[in-house]
Amino acid sequence: MIYYILRALFHVLLIRPFMYVWVGFNVKHGGRLPQNGPAIIVSNHNSHLDTLTLEILFPLRFLRKIRPVAAADYFLRNRILKWFTVDVMRIIPVERRGKGGADPLAPCHEALARGHVLIIYPEGSRGEPGKMAEFKRGISWLATQHPEVPIYPICLRGLEKILPKGSWLPIPFFCDVAVGEPMFGTGNREDFLHQLEKRMHDLAEEIKVEHWI
Amino acid sequence: MNIAWLSYPPTVFWTLAGLFALLSAATLIITLMRLADRSRDMHELRQRVRTWWIMIATFAVVLGSASLWRPAPYVLFGFMSFIALKEFLTMVPTRRVDRPVFMIAYLAIPMQYVWASSHAYHGLFQMSLFVYVCPLIVIVMLINQRTEGFVTAFGTVLCGLLMTVYSLSHLAHFFALPAAANPQGGAAGFVLYVIALTQGNDVAQYVSGKCFGRRRIIPLVSPNKTWGGLIGGVAITTIASALIAPYLTPFSTMGAITLGVLIGITGFFGDVFVSAIKRDVGVKDASTFLPGHGGMLDRVDSLTITAPLFFHLTYFFVYMQGGLV
């Protein structure tokens, strides 16, 4: 509970003013966002601001259900970072390189069972600015194992200009968010992954922004 | 005239009351039209009028607070500059290496509005963007050592600063000049006059274009602009200027008519200026900051030219000729 209050305060005092005033964003098809969990949000990943942007699309009371799935090797580097990401931001740490044996997605299954909303970046890392990398397969496993859970592709553009990988000072630009229609897992994992990628590229076409020249 | 903590010169108060009456009429007409024919899609129009309510209410509160909390107008216009500059830098092509340059451009906003806040800084207010900020930007760009696209990048930032920061800051600077220049309306009178006429001119040109518009003026930039719209709009603006100038400003009838014509024509060019930029970079609206209108830049487009022009004419003919500065 105390961490939930901490996270809400962090949002109200810091993240929301920062995102609404300093950054600013245009949302397309905001009405498609899920009203309830469980759900999975799939997004492209170019900036540390991506997770904060996806979180502020939802009302504050929804916040406790939102669980970003993040790389354990990066976000659990030291104790302070671990406290902030796991306890305050409530990330679900997953091992990027499976060590064999246990299912690395086990905590995701558990969170979905509790009605949480997962945020997953199937590209795996922030990658090249503004370019969409090939999707990793984890999302297709989740989709086939939870065919009843809606999966919302959300495309983010412009955030890599505000806070690109490797920089620390956020420069104000407007960014664009496009929410896609929900999809559901099918038996065929390959097929699902292709469809998801295609849906994401279509959304990206809807919100073309100026990239660096 | 006072409402709660807000205080206005009486003429400003009644002009604002008139604007709210116009808005109420617009809201009433739209509501009746909706009731008469439910199948019509009036979403955009309703959104547009709702945003007008918010904009005019904000503006009215800021004008009324200026005597109690002096920074109010500088904060409002500074914020408008910030949003407009952000929209501009978002829609034009930029280079990643210039990120520090954009930070300097954003930091120039508080600087410019601090200079705008006192008549003692008048020289700095007028020149520091060119004398200090431009060379600083050049130096940072030189440190980056990327000559590819250098001229375009420098010109882009300068264009953005001129259009969104320099121009709009003139509106705020009125509040720092001697109030004796305008015994009736004060600084609020001048600012309300130029903003109401410029925005009214946009609406008048649009409506007049819908009614009489036939021959296009500059189809390659803005296909909806017609001679009928321009001439009708300028006529309406000139009449409006002659009607409200005696209440809000110290201008003579001849002066008011001249200013009405100037605001009508230059407002048109400000509008088309932003249209040309948007057409160049291939966007329709600068952002969705003002629902129903587009972005801040889409709303202040005409002001980018009329505001500094009006300021300089007033500064010369009223403040200097009147021996006030």
Side-chain angles (χ1 to χ4, degrees):
Chain A
M1 189 64 196
I2 184 88
Y3 285 124
Y4 170 61
I5 294 172
L6 214 59
R7 190 180 179 194
L9 274 180
F10 177 63
H11 253 258
V12 173
L13 298 179
L14 216 68
I15 299 308
R16 295 204 178 207
F18 170 81
M19 290 301 295
Y20 279 110
V21 180
W22 191 244
V23 175
F25 50 93
N26 311 312
V27 182
K28 209 162 181 190
H29 311 307
R32 289 178 183 167
L33 287 167
Q35 304 292 319
N36 227 322
I40 300 175
I41 287 177
V42 172
S43 179
N44 56 328
H45 198 22
N46 283 122
S47 164
H48 278 318
L49 295 178
D50 292 344
T51 304
L52 301 178
T53 308
L54 292 172
E55 284 184 353
I56 63 169
L57 296 177
F58 293 94
L60 214 51
R61 63 191 148 69
F62 210 82
L63 204 56
R64 62 196 315 169
K65 287 192 171 175
I66 298 178
R67 309 290 305 275
V69 178
D73 57 285
Y74 187 86
F75 287 99
L76 307 187
R77 272 181 313 209
N78 60 55
R79 279 191 24 219
I80 300 170
L81 195 63
K82 183 180 172 186
W83 171 78
F84 180 73
T85 54
V86 175
D87 291 333
V88 182
M89 295 293 289
R90 302 262 286 144
I91 67 163
I92 299 176
V94 290
E95 295 292 341
R96 275 197 269 207
R97 285 166 195 43
K99 286 173 187 149
D103 180 5
L105 292 175
C108 296
H109 298 311
E110 191 197 330
L112 285 176
R114 289 168 63 183
H116 288 175
V117 176
L118 304 187
I119 296 178
I120 291 181
Y121 302 110
E123 291 169 282
S125 99
R126 284 172 295 161
E128 289 249 330
K131 291 222 179 74
M132 223 182 284
E134 200 178 307
F135 284 6
K136 306 244 185 290
R137 281 193 304 270
I139 178 65
S140 61
W141 281 99
L142 273 179
T144 40
Q145 285 169 38
H146 301 271
E148 75 293 346
V149 173
I151 296 165
Y152 292 82
I154 298 185
C155 185
L156 305 172
R157 301 200 89 168
L159 286 150
E160 71 282 0
K161 287 167 82 174
I162 300 163
L163 192 67
K165 194 174 183 175
S167 111
W168 54 271
L169 182 67
I171 306 283
F173 288 100
F174 275 94
C175 54
D176 287 276
V177 180
V179 183
E181 302 265 14
M183 302 169 65
F184 292 90
T186 52
N188 189 335
R189 288 197 307 274
E190 280 299 292
D191 197 43
F192 174 80
L193 206 58
H194 280 306
Q195 271 188 32
L196 187 65
E197 272 182 305
K198 190 185 169 300
R199 196 70 78 83
M200 202 64 119
H201 282 285
D202 290 347
L203 281 175
E205 284 299 308
E206 281 191 49
I207 46 169
K208 268 199 162 352
V209 296
E210 281 295 334
H211 279 295
W212 304 116
I213 49 169
Chain B
M1 286 276 196
N2 294 303
I3 305 178
W5 78 95
L6 305 168
S7 76
Y8 304 92
T11 54
V12 171
F13 178 86
W14 290 113
T15 312
L16 287 171
L19 288 179
F20 280 115
L22 276 178
L23 269 185
S24 306
T27 306
L28 187 71
I29 291 170
I30 289 172
T31 313
L32 290 177
M33 279 168 78
R34 256 188 93 216
L35 287 178
D37 183 2
R38 287 194 169 274
S39 61
R40 275 174 84 155
D41 180 29
M42 312 199 36
H43 178 71
E44 167 122 11
L45 192 61
R46 286 174 61 212
Q47 226 177 21
R48 185 179 268 245
V49 172
R50 194 182 314 146
T51 306
W52 270 123
W53 273 104
I54 295 168
M55 287 191 294
I56 295 183
T58 309
F59 187 58
V61 169
V62 167
L63 284 187
S65 323
S67 56
L68 190 78
W69 191 56
R70 235 182 62 77
Y74 310 104
V75 171
L76 174 71
F77 291 117
F79 181 70
M80 286 166 61
S81 289
F82 171 67
I83 299 294
L85 180 61
K86 189 162 67 172
E87 287 170 351
F88 179 81
L89 290 178
T90 301
M91 67 184 188
V92 297
T94 44
R95 309 182 301 176
R96 177 172 175 171
V97 70
D98 290 323
R99 291 178 84 247
V101 172
F102 304 140
M103 199 62 214
I104 294 173
Y106 286 119
L107 289 176
I109 298 173
M111 180 205 75
Q112 177 69 4
Y113 280 88
V114 167
W115 301 153
S117 71
S118 164
H119 189 224
Y121 300 144
H122 183 73
L124 285 166
F125 162 76
Q126 291 204 298
M127 296 314 297
S128 63
L129 274 179
F130 310 103
V131 178
Y132 301 104
V133 177
C134 279
L136 185 62
I137 285 173
V138 170
I139 291 167
V140 172
M141 288 179 70
L142 290 175
I143 293 171
N144 285 335
Q145 294 200 66
R146 200 173 140 198
T147 49
E148 197 191 334
F150 188 91
V151 179
T152 314
F154 180 68
T156 301
V157 176
L158 192 56
C159 175
L161 281 174
L162 270 181
M163 198 162 85
T164 63
V165 183
Y166 189 65
S167 65
L168 293 184
S169 66
H170 284 79
L171 295 169
H173 196 42
F174 273 113
F175 289 87
L177 297 180
N182 192 4
Q184 280 205 73
F190 280 137
V191 172
L192 182 56
Y193 171 83
V194 66
I195 293 184
L197 280 187
T198 305
Q199 301 297 349
N201 179 58
D202 278 1
V203 179
Q205 296 206 2
Y206 175 78
V207 174
S208 165
K210 286 261 162 186
C211 297
F212 319 109
R214 220 176 267 130
R215 283 183 53 202
R216 293 167 170 185
I217 302 183
I218 33 170
L220 297 181
V221 180
S222 192
N224 296 326
K225 296 279 185 286
T226 55
W227 282 104
L230 175 63
I231 294 166
V234 172
I236 294 170
T237 304
T238 308
I239 295 166
S241 169
L243 288 177
I244 65 170
Y247 300 101
L248 294 175
T249 68
F251 306 136
S252 65
T253 312
M254 240 1 257
I257 289 173
T258 314
L259 277 172
V261 174
L262 274 178
I263 288 175
I265 294 173
T266 55
F268 168 82
F269 284 115
D271 190 342
V272 180
F273 173 33
V274 173
S275 301
I277 293 174
K278 286 190 293 186
R279 192 159 278 254
D280 179 14
V281 297
V283 302
K284 201 174 139 283
D285 287 328
S287 79
T288 54
F289 187 79
L290 300 170
H293 298 253
M296 180 66 74
L297 208 50
D298 301 302
R299 193 62 275 154
V300 300
D301 49 7
S302 314
L303 274 174
T304 59
I305 297 187
T306 61
L309 180 71
F310 174 74
F311 176 88
H312 277 271
L313 289 172
T314 311
Y315 195 78
F316 183 76
F317 285 107
V318 179
Y319 290 91
M320 284 170 82
Q321 304 282 19
L324 291 161
V325 292

